[in-house]
């Protein structure tokens, strides 16, 4: 079981690291249309993961509450939204293709704020993987090893293009390939760290597991709506973002049902 857990916790991080490695093999930055396609794909994966891997299990855990079974999921979801809203307001960061940074005024370098933006994006993903594996470890929410692996694998798949999306622009901003790669890897390091901490406190988290599952869902949906959807829709009209959103959504849904 320990090997399964370690592998699951590392999968999303390895996806980011592998994608960041593209900076060593690609000579040109990703085109805007490719970035929009990859962003749409990531948004689809995260949306489906929020529903099938987090919100539905949260409501299943609260089934004994009868008609109020939705309450823990609704409360946790809003706490996740507000948590990311708070981080978004207090941490200076720069979204891809944006000219003006968000959050408080800062003298941080542009590249540093780009890394912080992706790190903010990765926080809820690490939380989600950790919480799902915590549910598996404690035997709650009928969480299976396959279901936990499905979430980790889905996030790893969508982290691959994200790694490239961060490392390539960093290189374009003047960073060496090695430093651009390191920046991409660093942005994904928060995922296994957050997931591991959640696992360590799994037994203490059991009573509030429905809230935590939906908390992670709310945090991921915040990222999708606030960051990914605007990025996949910016510029000249194109359907590529919507199409790839649907591909990502279908893939994550299929993984969760097939492996869960």
């Amino acid at each position: 079981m320990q090997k399964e857990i370690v592998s699951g916790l590392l999968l999303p991080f390895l996806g980011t690291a592998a994608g960041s490695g593209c900076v060593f093999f690609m000579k040109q930055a990703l085109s805007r249309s490719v970035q929009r396609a990859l962003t749409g794909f990531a948004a689809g994966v995260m949306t489906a993961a929020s529903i099938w891997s987090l919100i539905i299990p949260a409501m299943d855990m609260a089934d004994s509450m009868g008609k109020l079974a939705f309450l823990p999921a609704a409360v946790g979801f809003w706490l996740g939204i507000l948590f990311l809203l708070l981080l978004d307001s207090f941490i200076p960061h720069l979204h891809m293709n944006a000219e003006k940074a968000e959050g408080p005024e800062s003298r941080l370098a542009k590249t540093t704020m780009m890394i912080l933006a992706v790190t903010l994006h990765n926080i809820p993903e690490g939380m989600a993987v950790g919480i799902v594996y915590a549910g598996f470890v404690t035997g709650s929410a009928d969480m299976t090893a396959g279901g936990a692996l499905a979430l980790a694998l889905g996030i790893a798949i969508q982290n691959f293009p994200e790694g490239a999306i961060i490392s390539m622009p960093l290189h374009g901003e003047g960073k060496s390939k090695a430093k651009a790669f390191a920046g991409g890897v660093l942005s994904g390091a928060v995922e296994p760290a957050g997931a591991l901490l959640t696992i360590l406190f799994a037994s203490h988290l059991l009573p509030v597991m429905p809230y935590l599952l939906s908390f992670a869902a709310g945090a991921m949906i915040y990222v999708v709506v606030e960051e990914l959807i605007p990025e996949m829709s910016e510029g000249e009209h194109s359907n590529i973002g919507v199409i790839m959103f649907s591909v990502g959504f279908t893939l994550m849904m299929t993984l969760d049902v097939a492996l869960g």
Side-chain angles (χ1 to χ4, degrees), residues 163-254:
I165 286 175
I166 185 65
S167 65
M168 297 296 289
L170 286 176
H171 181 51
E173 289 289 328
K175 294 286 186 181
S176 68
K177 289 186 176 182
K179 288 184 177 181
F181 171 73
V185 170
L186 182 63
S187 72
V190 67
E191 293 191 27
L196 181 59
L197 286 174
T198 306
I199 291 289
L200 293 176
F201 291 98
S203 60
H204 302 288
L205 300 176
L206 184 57
V208 292
M209 192 64 72
Y211 294 92
L212 292 175
L213 287 167
S214 52
F215 178 93
M220 289 214 295
I221 291 297
Y222 178 91
V223 171
V224 169
V225 176
E226 196 272 342
E227 178 184 345
L228 300 184
I229 289 179
E231 286 182 6
M232 79 180 200
S233 304
E234 68 182 0
E236 186 178 348
H237 173 71
S238 171
N239 294 322
I240 187 64
V242 176
I243 292 172
M244 292 305 294
F245 176 97
S246 303
V247 171
F249 187 95
T250 305
L251 175 64
M252 187 64 232
M253 177 180 64
T254 303

Side-chain angles (χ1 to χ4, degrees), residues 5-40:
I5 294 173
V6 171
S7 299
L9 297 186
L10 288 178
L11 265 177
F13 172 71
L14 292 176
T16 302
S20 299
C22 290
V23 73
F24 294 111
F25 308 103
M26 299 176 64
K27 294 182 178 181
Q28 296 182 343
L30 298 174
S31 68
R32 185 65 62 88
S33 61
V34 171
Q35 288 186 30
R36 290 166 70 177
L38 297 178
T39 301

Side-chain angles (χ1 to χ4, degrees), residues 5-243:
I5 294 173
V6 171
S7 299
L9 297 186
L10 288 178
L11 265 177
F13 172 71
L14 292 176
T16 302
S20 299
C22 290
V23 73
F24 294 111
F25 308 103
M26 299 176 64
K27 294 182 178 181
Q28 296 182 343
L30 298 174
S31 68
R32 185 65 62 88
S33 61
V34 171
Q35 288 186 30
R36 290 166 70 177
L38 297 178
T39 301
F41 177 82
V45 169
M46 292 178 70
T47 301
S50 297
I51 297 169
W52 271 273
S53 298
L54 300 170
I55 292 178
I56 291 178
M59 290 192 290
D60 288 343
M61 284 192 71
D63 190 55
S64 61
M65 296 178 65
K67 292 183 178 180
L68 293 178
F70 69 89
L71 193 58
V75 171
F77 183 86
W78 268 100
L79 289 175
I81 293 286
L82 295 174
F83 176 69
L84 257 292
L85 181 62
L86 192 66
L87 290 183
D88 219 23
S89 302
F90 284 95
I91 297 178
H93 58 284
L94 181 67
H95 290 301
M96 203 65 57
N97 303 319
E99 296 296 329
K100 185 177 180 181
E102 294 184 13
E105 291 188 12
S106 172
R107 295 183 179 179
L108 292 174
K110 181 178 180 180
T111 52
T112 301
M113 288 193 287
M114 288 172 63
I115 293 173
L116 285 174
V118 179
T119 302
L120 275 174
H121 179 152
N122 286 337
I123 287 174
E125 296 176 8
M127 290 168 50
V129 173
I131 291 168
V132 168
Y133 269 99
F136 167 60
V137 169
T138 57
S140 59
D142 293 325
M143 203 69 69
T144 65
L149 176 63
L151 177 63
L153 182 59
I155 291 179
I157 291 171
Q158 64 101 6
N159 275 357
F160 181 85
E162 280 185 4
I165 286 175
I166 185 65
S167 65
M168 297 296 289
L170 286 176
H171 181 51
E173 289 289 328
K175 294 286 186 181
S176 68
K177 289 186 176 182
K179 288 184 177 181
F181 171 73
V185 170
L186 182 63
S187 72
V190 67
E191 293 191 27
L196 181 59
L197 286 174
T198 306
I199 291 289
L200 293 176
F201 291 98
S203 60
H204 302 288
L205 300 176
L206 184 57
V208 292
M209 192 64 72
Y211 294 92
L212 292 175
L213 287 167
S214 52
F215 178 93
M220 289 214 295
I221 291 297
Y222 178 91
V223 171
V224 169
V225 176
E226 196 272 342
E227 178 184 345
L228 300 184
I229 289 179
E231 286 182 6
M232 79 180 200
S233 304
E234 68 182 0
E236 186 178 348
H237 173 71
S238 171
N239 294 322
I240 187 64
V242 176
I243 292 172

